[in-house]
Amino acid sequence: MLLDVLNFAGIAVFAASGAMLGVRKDFDMWGIITVGVLTGVGGGVLRDVLLGITPPASINGWGPIVTATVASLVVFFFHPAFTALHRSILVLDAFGMGLFAATGASIALDVGASAFAATTVGLLTAVGGGMLRDVISNEIPLLLQPSDLYAVPAVLGAAIVAVGATYTSAPHWIWLVVGSVLATGLRLVSLRFALRLPTARR
Amino acid sequence: MLLDVLNFAGIAVFAASGAMLGVRKDFDMWGIITVGVLTGVGGGVLRDVLLGITPPASINGWGPIVTATVASLVVFFFHPAFTALHRSILVLDAFGMGLFAATGASIALDVGASAFAATTVGLLTAVGGGMLRDVISNEIPLLLQPSDLYAVPAVLGAAIVAVGATYTSAPHWIWLVVGSVLATGLRLVSLRFALRLPTARR
Amino acid sequence: MLLDVLNFAGIAVFAASGAMLGVRKDFDMWGIITVGVLTGVGGGVLRDVLLGITPPASINGWGPIVTATVASLVVFFFHPAFTALHRSILVLDAFGMGLFAATGASIALDVGASAFAATTVGLLTAVGGGMLRDVISNEIPLLLQPSDLYAVPAVLGAAIVAVGATYTSAPHWIWLVVGSVLATGLRLVSLRFALRLPTARR
């Protein structure tokens, strides 16, 4: 139940980030909703396609797409407020990322994926929507460019869940909590102290 | 039978639109065929991957890809004629879009998708090829930019089929006809009267 | 066994080509690894998703992604050496392409795909990683632009395997050898003599 609420909150925050890019690119209302929905549910759809869960859960029930559409419409009508809230949105996004990484890995284990595959799937669940947002909008994905850590916390959070749930007997949900808190926490630390990875020497 | 003919006609028109973009971007013969084929069958492949139909019907039989290849080659050799036919092609494309939206929704219902998922899948069947065409050619998808209605008719046509076939006892094919005619008709009206969705106020 | 070695060598070469693009685009270490891994395993993941093999083999075992990551890190630290080796890398890439086209078609036949589908899947296995590399980096795919033959050898190699293994009683592995040697050979001939396809007359 709490997990459901968090999941929908994550979808809404991701969708809002997509819709804001759509506003900046001068898309029309449909374009803004499309980018918002793809950003909000893209990671989950990618996860399910890789795991053979068809139709993907994010499109089979109406909850995820309706949530993402509403979030996109709120951005459409009130986007100046969101620009001012930039910092808060980064924090909310960190929670969404951590949650998606952990739940993505957990769902992968549930359908019999290896711990390695579950880590990869968790990572893709967390970053897939944002990658899709940037590719569909004809931008170089933020994730590839020099910036604060984002994918590294996601892959660590997913790995904690995958390894913990596979190789220990502690209850599954404990690893979900540990993995998502760790990923979100590392992301927030990285934002606070502007931690970055190096680029290649030219 | 009539449905098969219409389906291949839709693939050919979509492929031609892809090949024309390829010509404009100075791709070579292979590039033009590739964009043409991806545009012609991309929506159907996306539909089947989301529904777990593997290998996707559009690549398992030779009909769809060969049709799209021939259409692309015709554009390759005679493209100036197509530029002159711009208006007629928009009309043919409207028929392809309506048909793909309706059949996409119908195929989704056949494999047990919910009415909501069938609507989403129908929409993606209709617009997926065009999105792929633009992304692969490094353009911002037309679908996202301010222009005449395209996706809205597709989603309405798919929804009619999904809701009608799920909640009434009228024969399935009636909803196929109603859905595709409605989508195509609304698209033609939108072209004629330049109906548009708003952009966000800046 | 030999096939495994060749397969990992192909993944490494493909990953190196992706990582080199990442260096050129000034991505950070994570971005360079991401593009490298997507290029190295993207074709195989696409193949498995189209064939319903989930989770895809390239993400279920750790070998492919670790191989691609190591190759990307080598490029990250020593990329000037790779620029000097440009010509040798093109040759190695030709071997990877031929191998992926042939094995992709063969795996498709193993899961019951038609000869036509196996040809298409073999082609996509060979060129999918490179397409993904360019799309994710916001470049027009090299494959679409006028250049030496690449996809044509891949589709011929895949077709040889698909048709040979379907319609003759010769052992499967013979067609694997013939298909990959033919694809690689035609690619090398095309590089040596700068064979090209025409563009459309403007």
PDB file of all heavy atoms in Angstrom, chain A residues 11-44:
ATOM      1  N   ILE A  11       6.197   8.076 -10.340  1.00  0.00           N
ATOM      2  CA  ILE A  11       5.735   8.270 -11.717  1.00  0.00           C
ATOM      3  C   ILE A  11       5.390   9.738 -11.955  1.00  0.00           C
ATOM      4  O   ILE A  11       5.746  10.319 -12.985  1.00  0.00           O
ATOM      5  CB  ILE A  11       4.503   7.362 -11.996  1.00  0.00           C
ATOM      6  CG1 ILE A  11       4.952   5.896 -12.087  1.00  0.00           C
ATOM      7  CG2 ILE A  11       3.789   7.787 -13.267  1.00  0.00           C
ATOM      8  CD1 ILE A  11       3.807   4.903 -12.173  1.00  0.00           C
ATOM      9  N   ALA A  12       4.701  10.357 -10.989  1.00  0.00           N
ATOM     10  CA  ALA A  12       4.285  11.751 -11.154  1.00  0.00           C
ATOM     11  C   ALA A  12       5.499  12.682 -11.254  1.00  0.00           C
ATOM     12  O   ALA A  12       5.535  13.584 -12.099  1.00  0.00           O
ATOM     13  CB  ALA A  12       3.385  12.175  -9.991  1.00  0.00           C
ATOM     14  N   VAL A  13       6.499  12.470 -10.401  1.00  0.00           N
ATOM     15  CA  VAL A  13       7.686  13.335 -10.434  1.00  0.00           C
ATOM     16  C   VAL A  13       8.442  13.162 -11.750  1.00  0.00           C
ATOM     17  O   VAL A  13       8.862  14.138 -12.376  1.00  0.00           O
ATOM     18  CB  VAL A  13       8.626  13.028  -9.245  1.00  0.00           C
ATOM     19  CG1 VAL A  13       9.914  13.824  -9.375  1.00  0.00           C
ATOM     20  CG2 VAL A  13       7.942  13.362  -7.938  1.00  0.00           C
ATOM     21  N   PHE A  14       8.628  11.908 -12.167  1.00  0.00           N
ATOM     22  CA  PHE A  14       9.305  11.656 -13.436  1.00  0.00           C
ATOM     23  C   PHE A  14       8.524  12.306 -14.586  1.00  0.00           C
ATOM     24  O   PHE A  14       9.110  12.938 -15.473  1.00  0.00           O
ATOM     25  CB  PHE A  14       9.428  10.143 -13.683  1.00  0.00           C
ATOM     26  CG  PHE A  14      10.589   9.505 -12.978  1.00  0.00           C
ATOM     27  CD1 PHE A  14      11.096  10.011 -11.796  1.00  0.00           C
ATOM     28  CD2 PHE A  14      11.204   8.370 -13.498  1.00  0.00           C
ATOM     29  CE1 PHE A  14      12.187   9.417 -11.148  1.00  0.00           C
ATOM     30  CE2 PHE A  14      12.290   7.766 -12.867  1.00  0.00           C
ATOM     31  CZ  PHE A  14      12.773   8.292 -11.689  1.00  0.00           C
ATOM     32  N   ALA A  15       7.194  12.132 -14.586  1.00  0.00           N
ATOM     33  CA  ALA A  15       6.372  12.700 -15.651  1.00  0.00           C
ATOM     34  C   ALA A  15       6.508  14.222 -15.678  1.00  0.00           C
ATOM     35  O   ALA A  15       6.599  14.832 -16.748  1.00  0.00           O
ATOM     36  CB  ALA A  15       4.903  12.300 -15.460  1.00  0.00           C
ATOM     37  N   ALA A  16       6.554  14.830 -14.496  1.00  0.00           N
ATOM     38  CA  ALA A  16       6.689  16.288 -14.438  1.00  0.00           C
ATOM     39  C   ALA A  16       8.007  16.733 -15.075  1.00  0.00           C
ATOM     40  O   ALA A  16       8.054  17.733 -15.809  1.00  0.00           O
ATOM     41  CB  ALA A  16       6.600  16.772 -12.988  1.00  0.00           C
ATOM     42  N   SER A  17       9.079  15.972 -14.828  1.00  0.00           N
ATOM     43  CA  SER A  17      10.369  16.356 -15.426  1.00  0.00           C
ATOM     44  C   SER A  17      10.299  16.250 -16.949  1.00  0.00           C
ATOM     45  O   SER A  17      10.872  17.064 -17.676  1.00  0.00           O
ATOM     46  CB  SER A  17      11.508  15.489 -14.868  1.00  0.00           C
ATOM     47  OG  SER A  17      11.651  14.286 -15.593  1.00  0.00           O
ATOM     48  N   GLY A  18       9.578  15.239 -17.443  1.00  0.00           N
ATOM     49  CA  GLY A  18       9.406  15.112 -18.892  1.00  0.00           C
ATOM     50  C   GLY A  18       8.586  16.249 -19.463  1.00  0.00           C
ATOM     51  O   GLY A  18       8.924  16.832 -20.492  1.00  0.00           O
ATOM     52  N   ALA A  19       7.472  16.568 -18.774  1.00  0.00           N
ATOM     53  CA  ALA A  19       6.597  17.629 -19.268  1.00  0.00           C
ATOM     54  C   ALA A  19       7.326  18.973 -19.281  1.00  0.00           C
ATOM     55  O   ALA A  19       7.119  19.796 -20.182  1.00  0.00           O
ATOM     56  CB  ALA A  19       5.344  17.706 -18.399  1.00  0.00           C
ATOM     57  N   MET A  20       8.194  19.195 -18.288  1.00  0.00           N
ATOM     58  CA  MET A  20       8.933  20.462 -18.269  1.00  0.00           C
ATOM     59  C   MET A  20       9.884  20.576 -19.459  1.00  0.00           C
ATOM     60  O   MET A  20      10.042  21.661 -20.044  1.00  0.00           O
ATOM     61  CB  MET A  20       9.696  20.608 -16.954  1.00  0.00           C
ATOM     62  CG  MET A  20       8.758  20.949 -15.793  1.00  0.00           C
ATOM     63  SD  MET A  20       9.572  20.805 -14.197  1.00  0.00           S
ATOM     64  CE  MET A  20      10.624  22.250 -14.246  1.00  0.00           C
ATOM     65  N   LEU A  21      10.495  19.474 -19.839  1.00  0.00           N
ATOM     66  CA  LEU A  21      11.331  19.511 -21.052  1.00  0.00           C
ATOM     67  C   LEU A  21      10.455  19.797 -22.276  1.00  0.00           C
ATOM     68  O   LEU A  21      10.828  20.565 -23.164  1.00  0.00           O
ATOM     69  CB  LEU A  21      12.080  18.180 -21.223  1.00  0.00           C
ATOM     70  CG  LEU A  21      12.974  18.085 -22.472  1.00  0.00           C
ATOM     71  CD1 LEU A  21      14.014  19.190 -22.503  1.00  0.00           C
ATOM     72  CD2 LEU A  21      13.670  16.724 -22.548  1.00  0.00           C
ATOM     73  N   GLY A  22       9.246  19.198 -22.300  1.00  0.00           N
ATOM     74  CA  GLY A  22       8.328  19.429 -23.406  1.00  0.00           C
ATOM     75  C   GLY A  22       7.924  20.894 -23.533  1.00  0.00           C
ATOM     76  O   GLY A  22       7.828  21.432 -24.632  1.00  0.00           O
ATOM     77  N   VAL A  23       7.697  21.533 -22.376  1.00  0.00           N
ATOM     78  CA  VAL A  23       7.366  22.968 -22.390  1.00  0.00           C
ATOM     79  C   VAL A  23       8.534  23.763 -22.964  1.00  0.00           C
ATOM     80  O   VAL A  23       8.366  24.637 -23.823  1.00  0.00           O
ATOM     81  CB  VAL A  23       7.038  23.464 -20.966  1.00  0.00           C
ATOM     82  CG1 VAL A  23       6.951  24.993 -20.925  1.00  0.00           C
ATOM     83  CG2 VAL A  23       5.737  22.838 -20.471  1.00  0.00           C
ATOM     84  N   ARG A  24       9.740  23.413 -22.517  1.00  0.00           N
ATOM     85  CA  ARG A  24      10.934  24.139 -22.963  1.00  0.00           C
ATOM     86  C   ARG A  24      11.163  23.965 -24.465  1.00  0.00           C
ATOM     87  O   ARG A  24      11.711  24.851 -25.111  1.00  0.00           O
ATOM     88  CB  ARG A  24      12.142  23.608 -22.188  1.00  0.00           C
ATOM     89  CG  ARG A  24      13.118  24.684 -21.796  1.00  0.00           C
ATOM     90  CD  ARG A  24      13.929  24.337 -20.565  1.00  0.00           C
ATOM     91  NE  ARG A  24      14.640  23.092 -20.666  1.00  0.00           N
ATOM     92  CZ  ARG A  24      14.629  22.132 -19.745  1.00  0.00           C
ATOM     93  NH1 ARG A  24      13.927  22.282 -18.642  1.00  0.00           N
ATOM     94  NH2 ARG A  24      15.322  21.040 -19.906  1.00  0.00           N
ATOM     95  N   LYS A  25      10.762  22.816 -25.010  1.00  0.00           N
ATOM     96  CA  LYS A  25      10.965  22.563 -26.438  1.00  0.00           C
ATOM     97  C   LYS A  25       9.782  23.055 -27.281  1.00  0.00           C
ATOM     98  O   LYS A  25       9.696  22.735 -28.466  1.00  0.00           O
ATOM     99  CB  LYS A  25      11.170  21.066 -26.678  1.00  0.00           C
ATOM    100  CG  LYS A  25      12.284  20.415 -25.890  1.00  0.00           C
ATOM    101  CD  LYS A  25      13.643  20.515 -26.532  1.00  0.00           C
ATOM    102  CE  LYS A  25      13.790  19.612 -27.729  1.00  0.00           C
ATOM    103  NZ  LYS A  25      15.208  19.599 -28.210  1.00  0.00           N
ATOM    104  N   ASP A  26       8.826  23.770 -26.669  1.00  0.00           N
ATOM    105  CA  ASP A  26       7.673  24.302 -27.386  1.00  0.00           C
ATOM    106  C   ASP A  26       6.789  23.242 -28.023  1.00  0.00           C
ATOM    107  O   ASP A  26       6.201  23.465 -29.092  1.00  0.00           O
ATOM    108  CB  ASP A  26       8.119  25.303 -28.472  1.00  0.00           C
ATOM    109  CG  ASP A  26       8.562  26.616 -27.852  1.00  0.00           C
ATOM    110  OD1 ASP A  26       7.914  27.063 -26.900  1.00  0.00           O
ATOM    111  OD2 ASP A  26       9.563  27.179 -28.329  1.00  0.00           O
ATOM    112  N   PHE A  27       6.702  22.055 -27.392  1.00  0.00           N
ATOM    113  CA  PHE A  27       5.772  21.053 -27.891  1.00  0.00           C
ATOM    114  C   PHE A  27       4.354  21.534 -27.617  1.00  0.00           C
ATOM    115  O   PHE A  27       4.125  22.400 -26.774  1.00  0.00           O
ATOM    116  CB  PHE A  27       6.009  19.708 -27.188  1.00  0.00           C
ATOM    117  CG  PHE A  27       7.352  19.094 -27.506  1.00  0.00           C
ATOM    118  CD1 PHE A  27       7.881  18.093 -26.697  1.00  0.00           C
ATOM    119  CD2 PHE A  27       8.097  19.498 -28.606  1.00  0.00           C
ATOM    120  CE1 PHE A  27       9.113  17.519 -26.985  1.00  0.00           C
ATOM    121  CE2 PHE A  27       9.337  18.922 -28.902  1.00  0.00           C
ATOM    122  CZ  PHE A  27       9.843  17.939 -28.080  1.00  0.00           C
ATOM    123  N   ASP A  28       3.364  20.936 -28.322  1.00  0.00           N
ATOM    124  CA  ASP A  28       1.976  21.287 -28.014  1.00  0.00           C
ATOM    125  C   ASP A  28       1.486  20.415 -26.853  1.00  0.00           C
ATOM    126  O   ASP A  28       2.245  19.616 -26.285  1.00  0.00           O
ATOM    127  CB  ASP A  28       1.079  21.188 -29.257  1.00  0.00           C
ATOM    128  CG  ASP A  28       0.847  19.768 -29.721  1.00  0.00           C
ATOM    129  OD1 ASP A  28       1.289  18.825 -29.045  1.00  0.00           O
ATOM    130  OD2 ASP A  28       0.229  19.594 -30.779  1.00  0.00           O
ATOM    131  N   MET A  29       0.212  20.596 -26.473  1.00  0.00           N
ATOM    132  CA  MET A  29      -0.306  19.894 -25.293  1.00  0.00           C
ATOM    133  C   MET A  29      -0.106  18.388 -25.395  1.00  0.00           C
ATOM    134  O   MET A  29       0.295  17.727 -24.433  1.00  0.00           O
ATOM    135  CB  MET A  29      -1.795  20.211 -25.116  1.00  0.00           C
ATOM    136  CG  MET A  29      -2.383  19.610 -23.853  1.00  0.00           C
ATOM    137  SD  MET A  29      -4.187  19.735 -23.835  1.00  0.00           S
ATOM    138  CE  MET A  29      -4.419  21.271 -22.959  1.00  0.00           C
ATOM    139  N   TRP A  30      -0.392  17.834 -26.577  1.00  0.00           N
ATOM    140  CA  TRP A  30      -0.209  16.405 -26.753  1.00  0.00           C
ATOM    141  C   TRP A  30       1.261  16.008 -26.603  1.00  0.00           C
ATOM    142  O   TRP A  30       1.600  15.004 -25.970  1.00  0.00           O
ATOM    143  CB  TRP A  30      -0.709  15.937 -28.125  1.00  0.00           C
ATOM    144  CG  TRP A  30      -0.441  14.487 -28.288  1.00  0.00           C
ATOM    145  CD1 TRP A  30       0.665  13.908 -28.833  1.00  0.00           C
ATOM    146  CD2 TRP A  30      -1.262  13.415 -27.813  1.00  0.00           C
ATOM    147  NE1 TRP A  30       0.585  12.544 -28.751  1.00  0.00           N
ATOM    148  CE2 TRP A  30      -0.586  12.217 -28.134  1.00  0.00           C
ATOM    149  CE3 TRP A  30      -2.494  13.358 -27.156  1.00  0.00           C
ATOM    150  CZ2 TRP A  30      -1.127  10.974 -27.809  1.00  0.00           C
ATOM    151  CZ3 TRP A  30      -3.021  12.121 -26.847  1.00  0.00           C
ATOM    152  CH2 TRP A  30      -2.346  10.954 -27.173  1.00  0.00           C
ATOM    153  N   GLY A  31       2.141  16.789 -27.203  1.00  0.00           N
ATOM    154  CA  GLY A  31       3.567  16.487 -27.122  1.00  0.00           C
ATOM    155  C   GLY A  31       4.060  16.518 -25.688  1.00  0.00           C
ATOM    156  O   GLY A  31       4.859  15.671 -25.267  1.00  0.00           O
ATOM    157  N   ILE A  32       3.561  17.480 -24.931  1.00  0.00           N
ATOM    158  CA  ILE A  32       3.980  17.608 -23.533  1.00  0.00           C
ATOM    159  C   ILE A  32       3.486  16.406 -22.715  1.00  0.00           C
ATOM    160  O   ILE A  32       4.226  15.828 -21.911  1.00  0.00           O
ATOM    161  CB  ILE A  32       3.475  18.950 -22.952  1.00  0.00           C
ATOM    162  CG1 ILE A  32       4.275  20.097 -23.596  1.00  0.00           C
ATOM    163  CG2 ILE A  32       3.584  18.985 -21.437  1.00  0.00           C
ATOM    164  CD1 ILE A  32       3.690  21.478 -23.375  1.00  0.00           C
ATOM    165  N   ILE A  33       2.231  16.012 -22.945  1.00  0.00           N
ATOM    166  CA  ILE A  33       1.707  14.830 -22.252  1.00  0.00           C
ATOM    167  C   ILE A  33       2.484  13.577 -22.678  1.00  0.00           C
ATOM    168  O   ILE A  33       2.822  12.722 -21.851  1.00  0.00           O
ATOM    169  CB  ILE A  33       0.196  14.645 -22.536  1.00  0.00           C
ATOM    170  CG1 ILE A  33      -0.602  15.789 -21.916  1.00  0.00           C
ATOM    171  CG2 ILE A  33      -0.292  13.298 -22.019  1.00  0.00           C
ATOM    172  CD1 ILE A  33      -2.085  15.761 -22.271  1.00  0.00           C
ATOM    173  N   THR A  34       2.784  13.477 -23.974  1.00  0.00           N
ATOM    174  CA  THR A  34       3.490  12.284 -24.467  1.00  0.00           C
ATOM    175  C   THR A  34       4.856  12.140 -23.808  1.00  0.00           C
ATOM    176  O   THR A  34       5.217  11.061 -23.318  1.00  0.00           O
ATOM    177  CB  THR A  34       3.672  12.355 -26.001  1.00  0.00           C
ATOM    178  OG1 THR A  34       2.391  12.426 -26.615  1.00  0.00           O
ATOM    179  CG2 THR A  34       4.411  11.129 -26.526  1.00  0.00           C
ATOM    180  N   VAL A  35       5.624  13.235 -23.806  1.00  0.00           N
ATOM    181  CA  VAL A  35       6.944  13.158 -23.189  1.00  0.00           C
ATOM    182  C   VAL A  35       6.795  12.877 -21.690  1.00  0.00           C
ATOM    183  O   VAL A  35       7.546  12.079 -21.112  1.00  0.00           O
ATOM    184  CB  VAL A  35       7.745  14.455 -23.421  1.00  0.00           C
ATOM    185  CG1 VAL A  35       9.113  14.355 -22.752  1.00  0.00           C
ATOM    186  CG2 VAL A  35       7.936  14.681 -24.905  1.00  0.00           C
ATOM    187  N   GLY A  36       5.809  13.495 -21.044  1.00  0.00           N
ATOM    188  CA  GLY A  36       5.583  13.245 -19.625  1.00  0.00           C
ATOM    189  C   GLY A  36       5.264  11.781 -19.351  1.00  0.00           C
ATOM    190  O   GLY A  36       5.853  11.156 -18.453  1.00  0.00           O
ATOM    191  N   VAL A  37       4.350  11.221 -20.125  1.00  0.00           N
ATOM    192  CA  VAL A  37       3.959   9.823 -19.899  1.00  0.00           C
ATOM    193  C   VAL A  37       5.127   8.874 -20.192  1.00  0.00           C
ATOM    194  O   VAL A  37       5.395   7.944 -19.418  1.00  0.00           O
ATOM    195  CB  VAL A  37       2.725   9.456 -20.757  1.00  0.00           C
ATOM    196  CG1 VAL A  37       2.480   7.954 -20.743  1.00  0.00           C
ATOM    197  CG2 VAL A  37       1.494  10.196 -20.249  1.00  0.00           C
ATOM    198  N   LEU A  38       5.845   9.122 -21.288  1.00  0.00           N
ATOM    199  CA  LEU A  38       6.979   8.247 -21.606  1.00  0.00           C
ATOM    200  C   LEU A  38       8.032   8.297 -20.500  1.00  0.00           C
ATOM    201  O   LEU A  38       8.638   7.287 -20.156  1.00  0.00           O
ATOM    202  CB  LEU A  38       7.614   8.649 -22.942  1.00  0.00           C
ATOM    203  CG  LEU A  38       6.805   8.288 -24.191  1.00  0.00           C
ATOM    204  CD1 LEU A  38       7.479   8.842 -25.450  1.00  0.00           C
ATOM    205  CD2 LEU A  38       6.663   6.776 -24.313  1.00  0.00           C
ATOM    206  N   THR A  39       8.247   9.490 -19.936  1.00  0.00           N
ATOM    207  CA  THR A  39       9.236   9.609 -18.857  1.00  0.00           C
ATOM    208  C   THR A  39       8.738   8.910 -17.589  1.00  0.00           C
ATOM    209  O   THR A  39       9.508   8.246 -16.893  1.00  0.00           O
ATOM    210  CB  THR A  39       9.506  11.093 -18.547  1.00  0.00           C
ATOM    211  OG1 THR A  39       9.747  11.792 -19.766  1.00  0.00           O
ATOM    212  CG2 THR A  39      10.710  11.244 -17.639  1.00  0.00           C
ATOM    213  N   GLY A  40       7.452   9.049 -17.322  1.00  0.00           N
ATOM    214  CA  GLY A  40       6.899   8.476 -16.088  1.00  0.00           C
ATOM    215  C   GLY A  40       6.821   6.961 -16.112  1.00  0.00           C
ATOM    216  O   GLY A  40       7.117   6.296 -15.117  1.00  0.00           O
ATOM    217  N   VAL A  41       6.405   6.389 -17.241  1.00  0.00           N
ATOM    218  CA  VAL A  41       6.203   4.940 -17.268  1.00  0.00           C
ATOM    219  C   VAL A  41       7.233   4.204 -18.127  1.00  0.00           C
ATOM    220  O   VAL A  41       7.246   2.963 -18.146  1.00  0.00           O
ATOM    221  CB  VAL A  41       4.775   4.565 -17.757  1.00  0.00           C
ATOM    222  CG1 VAL A  41       3.720   5.319 -16.957  1.00  0.00           C
ATOM    223  CG2 VAL A  41       4.605   4.782 -19.239  1.00  0.00           C
ATOM    224  N   GLY A  42       8.098   4.946 -18.829  1.00  0.00           N
ATOM    225  CA  GLY A  42       9.058   4.312 -19.748  1.00  0.00           C
ATOM    226  C   GLY A  42       9.969   3.297 -19.071  1.00  0.00           C
ATOM    227  O   GLY A  42      10.214   2.208 -19.610  1.00  0.00           O
ATOM    228  N   GLY A  43      10.457   3.637 -17.886  1.00  0.00           N
ATOM    229  CA  GLY A  43      11.341   2.707 -17.185  1.00  0.00           C
ATOM    230  C   GLY A  43      10.625   1.408 -16.821  1.00  0.00           C
ATOM    231  O   GLY A  43      11.175   0.318 -16.978  1.00  0.00           O
ATOM    232  N   GLY A  44       9.391   1.538 -16.364  1.00  0.00           N
ATOM    233  CA  GLY A  44       8.620   0.349 -15.990  1.00  0.00           C
ATOM    234  C   GLY A  44       8.257  -0.510 -17.195  1.00  0.00           C
ATOM    235  O   GLY A  44       8.255  -1.741 -17.115  1.00  0.00           O
TER     236      GLY A  44
END
